[in-house]
């Protein structure tokens, strides 16, 4: 069976990668696209909405998925609390897979970083650094924030209190509870994330480097093919591709 996709964010970098991947994969077809300038036709026959856009367009795509009772797969980041709550509420009616990153490797990194944080303990300070292309708007990236939340939870810390984005205003030594977040922007970098565990006399680095945005497209297609078999609820991408912990 060919899976019919509605692609929201078709003009973006991941949207373009999805178009390229689907063009050579007979298991998928794009039946409609949406951008900031032009939205989906009212009643397209599709199996799933795939969204890699921005929060305002995601809101419209979510409404469309709800109205037609079809699943939503979204990698849009930079959501505020209200939109996150709307996704959770909508998941009572349809399956929704929302992930900061649809790379299988990044989702493995999330698990490994949390495990390292638990095993190494407070003797190792944690810092997270990420690099993306010059056009990326949100900072830190959604993936960096997900890594921060994962290692904070593994240490029994509140991400809201422990993630530090600016050290320029407070000239004091770092505490053991801090998790520093570093951001670089430039060039055409698809995405790099490194979690540093810094001890006395040694450090451990866990890194992921994306060299082709098609990895995100392939991950999103994998999610779309599997989420259609799920009932209503929030579906964890990591569990979809790596299994339960």
């Amino acid at each position: 069976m060919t899976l019919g996709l509605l692609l929201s964010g078709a003009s973006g970098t991941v949207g373009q990668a999805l178009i390229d991947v689907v063009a050579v994969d007979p298991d998928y077809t794009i039946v409609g696209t949406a951008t900031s300038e032009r939205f989906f036709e009212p009643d397209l026959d599709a199996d799933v909405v795939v969204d890699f856009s921005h929060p305002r367009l995601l809101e419209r795509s979510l409404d469309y998925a709800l109205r037609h009772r079809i699943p939503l797969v979204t990698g849009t980041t930079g959501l505020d609390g209200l939109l996150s709550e709307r996704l959770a509420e909508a998941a009572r009616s349809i399956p929704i897979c929302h992930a900061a990153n649809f790379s299988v490797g990044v989702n493995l990194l999330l698990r490994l970083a949390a495990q390292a944080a638990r095993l190494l303990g407070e003797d190792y300070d944690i810092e997270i650094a990420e690099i993306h292309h010059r056009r990326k708007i949100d900072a830190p990236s959604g993936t960096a924030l997900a890594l921060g939340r994962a290692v904070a939870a593994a240490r029994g810390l509140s991400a809201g209190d422990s993630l530090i984005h600016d050290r320029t205003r407070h000239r004091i030594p770092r505490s053991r509870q801090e998790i520093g977040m570093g951001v670089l922007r430039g060039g055409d970098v698809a995405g790099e994330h490194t979690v540093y565990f810094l001890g006395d006399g040694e450090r451990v680095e866990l890194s992921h480097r994306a060299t082709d945005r098609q990895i995100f497209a392939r991950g999103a297609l994998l999610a779309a093919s599997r989420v259609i078999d799920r009932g209503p609820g929030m579906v964890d991408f990591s569990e979809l591709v790596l299994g339960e912990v």
Side-chain angles (χ1 to χ4, degrees):
M1 181 188 79
T2 300
L3 200 66
L5 310 176
L6 291 173
L7 176 58
S8 172
S11 60
T13 52
V14 178
Q16 289 295 302
L18 273 160
I19 291 171
D20 292 341
V21 172
V22 169
V24 295
D25 191 330
D27 291 333
Y28 304 93
T29 185
I30 296 174
V31 299
T33 61
T35 66
S36 297
E37 291 74 33
R38 182 175 58 83
F39 197 60
F40 302 127
E41 296 295 325
D43 293 300
L44 295 169
D45 184 16
D47 299 299
V48 59
V49 175
V50 178
D51 168 84
F52 283 84
S53 60
H54 52 78
R56 281 182 295 176
L57 188 53
L58 169 57
E59 284 192 88
R60 297 185 67 188
S61 300
L62 174 61
D63 289 339
Y64 195 99
L66 279 170
R67 189 162 59 251
H68 293 273
R69 289 293 187 268
I70 57 176
L72 171 69
V73 172
T74 176
T76 295
T77 57
L79 312 188
D80 61 21
L82 185 60
L83 184 49
S84 295
E85 289 175 7
R86 281 207 62 208
L87 282 177
E89 177 65 26
R92 296 183 179 184
S93 302
I94 60 173
I96 295 178
C97 181
H98 178 226
N101 194 301
F102 279 87
S103 155
V104 174
V106 160
N107 281 270
L108 177 60
L109 175 62
L110 283 162
R111 291 194 180 185
L112 293 175
Q115 185 176 16
R118 283 191 296 269
L119 292 174
L120 294 174
E122 289 191 357
D123 288 339
Y124 288 76
D125 300 319
I126 303 176
E127 299 281 310
I128 297 170
E130 58 101 338
I131 312 174
H132 281 87
H133 54 87
R134 65 173 68 91
R135 298 177 304 281
K136 187 169 180 62
I137 297 172
D138 55 316
S141 69
T143 301
L145 291 172
L147 285 165
R149 289 191 293 268
V151 295
R155 287 274 176 93
L157 301 172
S158 163
D161 296 330
S162 59
L163 300 188
I164 304 300
H165 305 279
D166 183 2
R167 289 192 171 113
T168 61
R169 292 177 294 177
H170 304 288
R171 299 179 64 83
I172 56 175
R174 85 185 307 282
S175 74
R176 291 292 193 184
Q177 287 71 44
E178 287 184 17
I179 299 171
M181 308 290 288
V183 175
L184 289 85
R185 292 286 178 268
D188 63 351
V189 180
E192 296 187 12
H193 296 85
T194 299
V195 185
Y196 298 89
F197 298 89
L198 303 136
D200 293 334
E202 66 176 356
R203 72 173 181 263
V204 177
E205 299 178 15
L206 298 177
S207 294
H208 178 271
R209 293 176 176 85
T211 57
D212 187 338
R213 290 184 181 87
Q214 286 196 359
I215 63 170
F216 310 123
R218 289 192 291 269
L221 292 177
L222 180 60
S225 69
R226 295 183 179 181
V227 78
I228 59 171
D229 296 324
R230 298 296 186 97
M234 295 299 295
V235 181
D236 182 75
F237 176 67
S238 177
E239 181 266 324
L240 273 182
V241 297
L242 298 175
E244 296 184 7
V245 178

